[in-house]
Amino acid sequence: MTEHILRMSGITKTFPGVKALQDVNLSVRRGEIHAICGENGAGKSTLMKVLSGVYPHGDYEGEIFFEGERCEFGGIRDSEHAGIVIIHQELALSPQLSIAENIFLGNERAKRGFIDWNRTNYEAAELMKRVGLRENPTTPISDIGVGKQQLVEIAKALSKEVRLLILDEPTAALNDDDSAHLLDLLRGLRDEGITCVIISHKLNEVTAIADAVTIIRDGRTIETLDMAADAVTEDRIISGMVGRALDNRFPPHEPTIGEEALRVEDWTVYSPSQPDRKVVDSAALTLRRGEIVGLAGLMGAGRTELAMSLFGRTYGVRISGKVFKDGKPVEIRNVQDAINHGLAYASEDRKRYGLNLIEDIKRNISAAGLRGLARRGWVNENEEYRIAEEFHRSMNIKAPSVNSVVGQLSGGNQQKVVLSKWIMTEPDVLILDEPTRGIDVGAKYEIYTIINQLADQGKAVLVISSELPELLGLCDRIYTLSEGRITGEVPRQEATQESLMHLMTKGQE
Amino acid sequence: MSSITPADVQVGATGDGGAPRRPGRVSLGGISLNLRSSGIYIAFAAIVVLFSVLTDGALLTPQNISNIIVQNSYVLILAIGMILIIIAGHIDLSVGSVVAVTGALAAVLMVNMGWPWPLALLATLAAGALIGAWQGYWIAYFGIPAFIVTLAGMLLFRALTLTVLGNQGIGPFPDQVRTLANGFTDGYLGNVGLGLLGGADLFSLLIGVVAIAGMFTALWRTRNARKGYGQSVEPMALFVLKAAAGAALILFLVVQLARFKNLPWVLVLLAVLVLAYSLMANRTVFGRQIYAIGGNLQAAVMSGVKVKSVVFWIFVNMGVLAAVAGIIFAGRLNQAGPTAGNSFELDAIAAAFIGGAAVQGGVGKVVGAITGGLIMAVINNGMSLIGSPSERVMLVKGIVLLAAVAFDVWTKRRAGAAR
């Protein structure tokens, strides 16, 4: 028996072109709750995927010791067999099956190939008692709320005789009561001897529950703090998460700020899957011509939801609030309305929402502004080619011709195609959601230059980003969003990573 | 899987000729060929040559060419509507039954109720549109998968046919309708006397010459417009070669037909439809939106495409084309029967997929679907000419369909692996 139940040392994981993890070390003591903190994209989830075998042995460098033994997991089954269970943020439950069936999914209580229903439901009930879930084991998953579904996941983990439980953002989708219950449950499990690793953005929860915290930044371990010995505060964690120097990665820019272009007041959006949960809560913001405005928020804060609900109600239900374009109230019911009012939205997930990957560059560029190329419904294909070729040159899209299929381009070049598409609609307001996600450094600089040019042309730009240095380097003004509410509005001169992070992690009072 | 992106799309290749090595592409004497998009035409040519040899040339005799066109026209018309639906990522299983019910309606209006034929024709087309609107509503606005809605439609409209016809056929149709389905253009200008063209109809030949001239002009103007915009165009020699091949094909077809009974009216109709729908699919906003929806539904929504409306209208369009096919089929048999259109939907779907449509949607061409339909038609016809039993014909058609789609999936997978 060793003091450490888990030791990961020298973990390096490379994706094509990117080092996601670099020499990461993680030691978790037996029977503790160990938090992992870091910005979005710092490498937390990648590390957990390495641990749980999603990236099999050989796919990464470094060593994993679990219970003192060297582990070479080939897949999730291997790690579960060893007693490591990971619960992802998006729950992996089958909504039509009952609680009991879900608990024993893939691990059925059966006798000679036939399900033993009495045993299934009896044992499920026992597990449900352990996690404090008061429901009938035969209730379908779709009939219980997300908080209870989370408990089902934990019960499922317990059924596999878990020794190390990993929870990825377990409270991100929960309300306060459910979160409190979950945290109590984790303390109870710790007392039963189950070690927990929890990834969380909610630093108040981390300081309340964790025994130790490891901070990861840019794919490296920064430090591991013992909560009791080091008297760790939220501030202490934040300085570890953001302690990164701003370097010369941004083109210089002198803004010329003009009239107000878009104003949003009292914007409230409810989640379509949980109709009583506010995803955006009375948000208000103003964008002016020539100005680049940042929107900072951690995962689950409601950034994309705010943007998509504004852009033709493409997300959310029971949307309420007022939108003013150039000072006049406007009603935006669908994407076509949004485009007509001069709005453009480039999604954070360009492969899913931005591009037709099997189509060529020119047709992707013209997809949103096709009507501008058409007379009486007929598209002028030569004009389409000419405009595409113009963007090909001006945006420096690296492809042999505008007839190249978009699916074959690199991330940076795909993003340039998406930007071209929206610039072609001649918008006044551009909302760019994670415009540099998955893009290498050189292409990032080009994208920043394009954004600056757009502002210089008198357009209002709202940049949503997980990378605080990016917002600080690019934006003239930054809003912070936490749990659906705008928690701050800071001019660039006054903003620091620490001050933003404080506002971004500000919980409900 | 992984997206090593990078340099395989580097600059260095110019235009389409001499394109970089890409999967599914072969290079023949400097002319690079996209196998995935042009393989179907090569396959068609090969099949025609094969059966010409096997039948000692009987396949390409004037009368047989005419037969192939007339006998398959309705499936080809259905294939035009079907390919649009498949490009959008949907399917329509009901077209066979819609052919039957619209044929029955036309018969009731013309024969039993004595409506003038043009009016009855319009009423039937309107009924087809209504049927399409019914199915389009459930699919686009109510959100039921097209497979289910049109499976229900297949039963509903067959039931309706049987109710209307009461288990027996209605006929005969007015002469004009029969001519449209089965007839030929008149020899307005007499025949050519002697020589190679011995006995050929002058009017048909003139139409052929006009068609070729039209094709040349259109190609030439497109080429010049592209050059005017500074786009790279294929070398002159290749352009002339392609145009000459097209002209030869049209000329051969027209001459053969002119030596038999002139041009079938359905061929004229079909030519107009193919041209119109090809232009619609490629050159109109509506057509482009069909591809956008099939290629990436969510991206289409986020680009402002009114997806529901587009899907609704392609089903309305399918209904109208099914009504056209229904009238032609009934007119050809001179009777609307209760079993009309049985399994036409399968032929139309097979034509679309053999013609290069992708199972996931977003890919396909009207001309491809027509070629796919013709491949099946030539196999049918050629095999029956050499006396193959029908079960063997079915076997071969099944294998061809599977092979065509397997080829599509294979080239796509290779393209994916190369990335």
Side-chain angles (χ1 to χ4, degrees), chain B residues 2-367:
Chain B
S2 61
S3 51
I4 307 180
T5 36
D8 58 4
V9 281
Q10 273 312 327
V11 193
T14 47
D16 274 329
R21 253 188 296 130
R22 256 193 247 138
R25 243 167 206 281
V26 291
S27 196
L28 293 171
I31 303 165
S32 99
L33 208 56
N34 186 337
L35 265 187
R36 213 174 132 205
S37 62
S38 57
I40 172 74
Y41 308 109
I42 298 168
F44 179 53
I47 285 168
V48 169
V49 169
L50 176 71
F51 280 104
S52 302
V53 172
L54 288 179
T55 59
D56 291 329
L59 184 81
L60 295 179
T61 57
Q63 179 174 0
N64 198 50
I65 291 180
S66 188
N67 280 344
I68 292 177
I69 291 164
V70 174
Q71 282 167 8
N72 292 283
S73 55
Y74 28 86
V75 168
L76 296 181
I77 291 171
L78 293 175
I80 296 173
M82 189 65 77
I83 187 77
L84 299 181
I85 286 177
I86 287 174
I87 291 169
H90 293 277
I91 196 94
D92 191 340
L93 300 175
S94 71
V95 293
S97 297
V98 180
V99 163
V101 76
T102 48
L105 179 70
V108 168
L109 293 179
M110 291 180 199
V111 181
N112 293 5
M113 301 176 69
W115 286 29
W117 71 268
L119 192 63
L121 214 82
L122 283 179
T124 307
L125 296 182
L130 213 60
I131 289 171
W134 158 264
Q135 306 203 102
Y137 166 77
W138 290 112
I139 295 161
Y141 292 103
F142 208 82
I144 305 177
F147 188 90
I148 303 298
V149 171
T150 58
L151 186 62
M154 181 176 171
L155 298 170
L156 287 176
F157 300 117
R158 183 64 63 186
L160 203 59
T161 312
L162 292 169
T163 313
V164 170
L165 293 179
N167 226 353
Q168 59 187 12
I170 297 180
F173 276 89
D175 284 346
Q176 292 90 340
V177 175
R178 290 173 57 197
T179 307
L180 174 67
N182 223 357
F184 299 84
T185 54
D186 270 331
Y188 305 102
L189 302 171
N191 292 356
V192 179
L194 287 168
L196 267 175
L197 303 175
D201 169 54
L202 202 55
F203 177 73
S204 302
L205 291 180
L206 268 180
I207 294 281
V209 170
V210 169
I212 289 168
M215 182 193 76
F216 258 116
T217 325
L219 286 177
W220 186 250
R221 284 178 59 179
T222 310
R223 183 184 158 89
N224 277 348
R226 284 200 181 153
K227 262 163 69 177
Y229 271 92
Q231 301 179 31
S232 62
V233 290
E234 54 204 3
M236 189 55 132
L238 185 62
F239 171 78
V240 171
L241 197 73
K242 272 187 176 174
L249 197 70
I250 295 178
L251 205 62
F252 175 76
L253 194 67
V254 168
V255 167
Q256 291 295 71
L257 289 170
R259 287 168 66 188
F260 180 55
K261 284 192 201 160
N262 311 344
L263 301 178
W265 277 111
V266 286
L267 177 64
V268 177
L269 175 67
L270 204 56
V272 170
L273 287 178
V274 170
L275 202 64
Y277 276 93
S278 290
L279 285 175
M280 193 276 280
N282 282 316
R283 299 262 179 95
T284 66
V285 173
F286 183 79
R288 291 297 191 78
Q289 293 184 336
I290 301 175
Y291 284 93
I293 290 170
N296 184 345
L297 179 67
Q298 268 131 346
V301 171
M302 296 303 284
S303 299
V305 175
K306 291 192 172 152
V307 172
K308 289 177 181 176
S309 147
V310 172
V311 170
F312 175 79
W313 285 106
I314 57 175
F315 275 93
V316 171
N317 174 67
M318 182 76 250
V320 174
L321 287 178
V324 172
I327 292 165
I328 287 173
F329 186 69
R332 200 172 89 80
L333 299 182
N334 203 11
Q335 191 187 47
T339 58
N342 254 345
S343 83
F344 279 14
E345 62 280 345
L346 301 181
D347 285 339
I349 292 168
F353 283 121
I354 292 174
V359 186
Q360 296 86 353
V363 178
K365 277 183 176 167
V366 171
V367 179

Side-chain angles (χ1 to χ4, degrees), chain A residues 43-297:
Chain A
K44 297 164 298 189
S45 296
T46 311
L47 184 64
M48 291 305 111
K49 283 179 180 166
V50 167
L51 174 56
S52 59
V54 173
Y55 300 129
H57 178 77
D59 238 28
Y60 57 88
E61 292 158 40
E63 290 181 318
I64 301 175
F65 292 93
F66 183 64
E67 298 276 16
E69 275 173 42
R70 196 149 178 261
C71 299
E72 298 181 353
F73 299 134
I76 294 186
R77 273 198 163 258
D78 291 352
S79 64
E80 286 195 347
H81 193 73
I84 300 174
V85 178
I86 182 162
I87 298 177
H88 293 281
Q89 198 182 344
E90 292 87 26
L91 304 179
L93 297 171
S94 184
Q96 307 304 331
L97 298 184
S98 72
I99 295 175
E101 283 173 293
N102 267 290
I103 289 177
F104 294 113
L105 195 63
N107 182 21
E108 285 79 4
R109 295 291 174 260
K111 233 188 265 166
R112 280 186 233 101
F114 288 94
I115 303 279
D116 183 343
W117 285 110
N118 288 329
R119 206 176 136 215
T120 300
N121 289 332
Y122 174 76
E123 288 186 16
E126 291 287 296
L127 289 165
M128 285 161 66
K129 212 179 287 169
R130 264 177 89 187
V131 300
L133 175 58
R134 276 185 293 275
E135 284 287 341
N136 192 321
T138 57
T139 308
I141 289 293
S142 54
D143 288 0
I144 61 175
V146 182
K148 288 179 173 176
Q149 291 179 5
Q150 186 75 259
L151 298 179
V152 174
E153 281 276 18
I154 294 173
K156 186 175 169 182
L158 294 179
S159 79
K160 292 171 184 160
E161 276 148 35
V162 57
R163 286 189 282 180
L164 177 67
L165 182 64
I166 304 165
L167 298 114
D168 191 354
E169 294 285 343
T171 59
L174 303 189
N175 61 31
D176 293 347
D177 287 347
D178 285 344
S179 298
H181 177 78
L182 187 77
L183 297 182
D184 277 343
L185 173 61
L186 293 184
R187 286 194 191 97
L189 292 176
R190 172 180 59 189
D191 297 341
E192 289 177 31
I194 296 173
T195 311
C196 289
V197 171
I198 140 168
I199 298 176
S200 180
H201 280 137
K202 295 187 181 169
L203 298 186
N204 54 346
E205 289 177 8
V206 170
T207 48
I209 193 176
D211 303 304
V213 55
T214 294
I215 296 168
I216 294 181
R217 187 205 313 152
D218 296 335
R220 295 166 190 270
T221 326
I222 300 305
E223 55 194 340
T224 295
L225 304 169
D226 187 302
M227 301 299 277
D230 299 341
V232 177
T233 59
E234 290 182 37
D235 288 354
R236 178 70 188 79
I237 299 175
I238 286 174
S239 67
M241 282 164 69
V242 299
R244 176 171 31 178
L246 279 181
D247 45 19
N248 208 358
R249 290 182 293 137
F250 302 92
H253 184 233
E254 268 306 314
T256 329
I257 295 171
E259 298 284 293
E260 165 193 309
L262 189 80
R263 189 168 84 238
V264 180
E265 286 178 0
D266 206 18
W267 195 254
T268 298
V269 180
Y270 287 84
S271 155
S273 52
Q274 301 154 259
D276 59 338
R277 188 168 146 250
K278 278 184 190 173
V279 183
V280 179
D281 189 356
S282 340
L285 44 89
T286 307
L287 308 179
R288 287 172 293 187
R289 290 181 179 276
E291 189 183 29
I292 303 173
V293 177
L295 183 61

